[in-house]
């Protein structure tokens, strides 16, 4: 159980690029980062429109002279201060992530970047090398991974509760974009523009979240080859897809399926992962994140509940309230921000950490998966060796 005790000695001086007023994801970044006193928001370039960004920054209690018109000015000016920023979160549309992350690392900052980290594996590997060279953490916001029942699934699988893993069945398929909503919504419009969104829409926007959950739950699985078929049911979205099915074969003979979609009419969020072993299965659904279904062949179904004493200790230590009370996405994000802070603090002291978090390598794997899916889909849904 976590009561709000400090996790690092001094809060890290933190800034945001993007996440301005009206953005989809800015508020949850601030809520997650500020909740546990591991970060203090001291600066920002919050908006593509400098005036709007400045006004909004002041509403967030950021000093007027630290609400910057753009990230380049912010990095330059903050570097001159004794009390300059140490960390920046990047919550802008996809096409800017690579250049802003690179500039932040070159400015000697730790980074929390939204997914996708960038557009190509080559760029991602470059960012990974730069982070290593600069001794900086790059956290990537696969925000669902901080739910404690994801950790419980990982531990159960590690302890052999399922036996050898055979199948991973995944979906992140919501229905909110079943028609061309992008004609009227700015934050959906850029998502179907390849120049800003990158080489995919739903594969990168939603599919990579669930892919990362599979990597957390079953860390030793490595994809050997995959095939992907993608469609644009709303024709104006082509060449980007609003629906895709990916089939994966892993090195150890297991198989995986991942359905990524935004045209699954009637589905609210529709992110599920079912890991099937030779003895039993586990299933987690993000619309009921406090529960993990554990099904042993031939026995009654068990619903494991967050916050209960029968769970692994590591899956309850981030509980903020006892079992029975629902925790949700905001807590999941807070857990990740807390891990980012501890990893950054440890890195600054030349130390390592003994917990996992979505880092630059996780970001790279997401980009790699999209790149392979697109190569397969655009080659006629051909099987491609994973590279
Ligand atoms: N992790 C998640 O669960 C999750 C959920 C939603 C979105 N995202 C990701 O977050 C990012 C932002 O998505 P969104 O839906 O909030 O987008 P949005 O369009 O709603 O908001 C983008 C914000 O960034 C600002 N901005 C754009 N370019 C900028 C620049 N160069 N400098 C400073 N500010 C700039 C805009 O003014 C706006 O405030 C995307 O990469 C998206 O994939 C992640």
């Amino acid at each position: 159980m976590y009561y709000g005790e400090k996790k690092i000695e001094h809060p890290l001086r933190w800034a945001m690029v993007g996440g301005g007023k009206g953005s989809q994801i800015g508020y949850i970044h601030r809520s997650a980062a500020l909740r546990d006193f591991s970060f203090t928001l001291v600066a920002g370039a919050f908006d593509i429109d400098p005036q709007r960004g400045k006004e909004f920054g002041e509403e967030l209690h950021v000093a007027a002279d630290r609400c910057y018109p753009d990230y380049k000015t912010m990095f330059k000016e903050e570097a001159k201060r004794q009390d300059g920023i140490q960390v920046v979160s990047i919550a802008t549309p996809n096409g800017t992530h690579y250049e802003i992350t690179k500039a932040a690392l070159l400015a000697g900052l730790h980074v929390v970047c939204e997914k996708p980290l960038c557009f190509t594996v080559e760029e991602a590997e470059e960012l990974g090398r730069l982070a290593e060279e600069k001794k900086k953490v790059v956290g990537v916001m696969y925000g669902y991974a901080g739910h404690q029942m994801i950790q419980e699934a990982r531990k159960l699988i590690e302890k052999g509760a399922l036996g050898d893993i055979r199948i991973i069945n995944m979906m992140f398929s919501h229905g909110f974009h079943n028609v061309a909503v992008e004609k009227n919504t700015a934050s959906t419009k850029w998502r179907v523009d390849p120049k800003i969104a990158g080489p995919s829409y739903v594969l990168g926007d939603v599919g990579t979240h669930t892919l990362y959950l599979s990597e957390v739950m079953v860390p030793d699985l490595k994809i050997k080859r995959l095939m992907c078929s993608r469609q644009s049911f709303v024709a104006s979205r082509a060449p980007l897809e609003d629906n895709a099915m990916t089939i994966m074969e892993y090195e150890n003979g297991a198989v995986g399926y991942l359905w990524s979609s935004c045209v699954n009419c009637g589905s609210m969020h529709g992110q599920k992962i079912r890991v099937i072993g030779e003895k039993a299965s586990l299933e987690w659904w993000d619309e009921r994140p406090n529960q993990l279904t554990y099904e042993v062949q031939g026995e009654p179904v068990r619903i494991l509940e967050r916050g209960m004493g029968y769970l692994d200790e590591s899956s309850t230590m981030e509980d903020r309230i006892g079992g029975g009370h629902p925790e949700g996405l905001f807590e999941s994000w807070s857990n990740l921000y807390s891990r980012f802070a501890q990893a950054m603090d440890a890195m600054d002291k030349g130390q390592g950490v003994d917990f996992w978090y979505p880092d630059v390598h996780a970001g790279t794997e997401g980009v790699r998966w999209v790149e392979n899916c697109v190569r397969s889909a655009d080659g006629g849904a051909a099987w491609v060796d994973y590279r």
Side-chain angles (χ1 to χ4, degrees):
M1 184 72 103
Y2 174 58
Y3 298 98
E5 313 91 308
K6 63 183 170 194
K7 300 248 175 164
I8 58 173
E9 203 48 44
H10 301 289
L12 297 165
R13 296 183 296 276
W14 178 59
M16 286 191 80
V17 182
K21 194 165 191 166
S23 70
Q24 200 181 101
I25 212 70
Y27 179 79
I28 191 169
H29 274 277
R30 287 183 288 278
S31 167
L34 299 177
R35 173 183 263 174
D36 298 330
F37 309 104
S38 295
F39 297 90
T40 311
L41 181 63
V42 295
F46 296 100
D47 204 295
I48 189 74
D49 178 322
Q51 186 56 27
R52 211 169 46 196
K54 184 167 188 297
E55 283 167 13
F56 183 56
E58 289 185 53
E59 283 187 58
L60 298 172
H61 301 284
V62 175
D65 64 337
R66 297 178 86 177
C67 297
Y68 295 98
D70 57 74
Y71 75 87
K72 288 182 184 160
T73 311
M74 177 162 78
F75 295 167
K76 196 166 120 221
E77 293 303 314
E78 286 291 315
K80 296 177 187 162
R81 301 178 66 111
Q82 283 286 339
D83 63 349
I85 56 172
Q86 299 165 288
V87 189
V88 65
S89 286
I90 301 165
T92 50
N94 304 355
T96 58
H97 294 175
Y98 166 72
E99 63 169 61
I100 305 177
T101 301
K102 186 170 172 180
L105 288 169
L106 289 170
L109 301 173
H110 295 292
V111 178
V112 175
C113 186
E114 264 304 344
K115 39 61 50 178
L117 179 59
C118 51
F119 286 177
T120 67
V121 171
E122 201 181 331
E123 290 170 346
E125 290 180 343
E126 183 195 338
L127 294 175
R129 281 193 300 274
L130 193 54
E132 200 174 341
E133 191 186 305
K134 296 283 177 188
K135 299 193 171 25
K136 295 294 160 197
V137 168
V138 177
V140 178
M141 209 58 228
Y142 289 125
Y144 305 93
H147 284 292
Q148 292 98 309
M149 298 312 272
I150 302 300
Q151 170 67 12
E152 179 63 16
R154 177 184 171 104
K155 290 309 280 188
L156 280 170
I157 292 164
E158 187 184 295
K159 289 173 193 165
L162 309 195
D164 286 345
I165 303 305
R166 291 175 170 167
I167 304 163
I168 308 190
N169 196 10
M170 294 166 271
M171 58 187 270
F172 194 159
S173 302
H174 66 83
F176 284 95
H177 301 163
N178 66 319
V179 293
V181 292
E182 57 269 27
K183 295 208 171 9
N184 305 315
T185 324
S187 68
T188 313
K189 193 170 181 187
W190 66 255
R191 284 175 157 82
V192 293
D193 177 350
K195 287 195 291 302
I196 308 177
S200 79
Y201 173 24
V202 290
L203 287 160
D205 200 51
V206 292
T208 53
H209 277 294
T210 328
L211 180 82
Y212 182 61
L213 296 184
S214 73
E215 291 168 1
V216 171
M217 289 184 184
V218 202
D220 56 345
L221 279 190
K222 299 280 168 272
I223 302 171
K224 187 169 139 207
R225 60 179 200 148
L226 64 68
M227 68 153 281
C228 175
S229 166
R230 63 173 180 165
Q231 299 75 38
S232 316
F233 283 110
V234 174
S236 55
R237 290 173 181 159
L240 299 192
E241 77 291 341
D242 50 23
N243 187 77
M245 177 61 84
T246 307
I247 306 178
M248 289 159 277
E249 289 179 358
Y250 299 97
E251 301 276 1
N252 72 346
V255 290
Y257 310 94
L258 206 169
W259 176 29
S260 314
S261 186
C262 65
V263 297
N264 180 16
C265 292
S267 165
M268 285 304 289
H269 220 238
Q271 180 175 209
K272 282 187 182 171
I273 174 164
R274 182 174 175 83
V275 183
I276 301 157
E278 58 186 342
K279 299 192 284 200
S281 303
L282 286 172
E283 187 166 310
W284 182 83
W285 179 22
D286 74 354
E287 293 176 33
R288 297 198 184 152
N290 292 262
Q291 283 89 34
L292 180 67
T293 306
Y294 176 39
E295 295 164 290
V296 180
Q297 179 57 35
E299 296 181 15
V301 175
R302 271 168 258 188
I303 311 287
L304 309 182
E305 294 278 353
R306 186 197 62 77
M308 300 303 290
Y310 49 72
L311 303 177
D312 191 87
E313 197 187 340
S314 65
S315 348
T316 55
M317 58 196 224
E318 286 172 322
D319 286 331
R320 290 150 194 277
I321 194 163
H325 300 85
E327 289 194 2
L329 191 62
F330 278 72
E331 285 72 31
S332 173
W333 277 56
S334 298
N335 294 341
L336 294 179
Y337 258 99
S338 173
R339 292 183 218 170
F340 293 152
Q342 292 172 78
M344 290 166 185
D345 186 57
M347 179 80 85
D348 288 344
K349 293 175 176 150
Q351 297 165 356
V353 292
D354 61 357
F355 52 81
W356 60 267
Y357 62 95
D359 61 5
V360 72
H361 303 293
T364 304
E365 289 317 302
V367 173
R368 188 186 309 282
W369 184 75
V370 170
E371 205 168 86
N372 278 275
C373 286
V374 168
R375 187 159 54 92
S376 162
D378 294 358
W383 281 98
V384 294
D385 290 333
Y386 204 65
R387 61 181 197 221

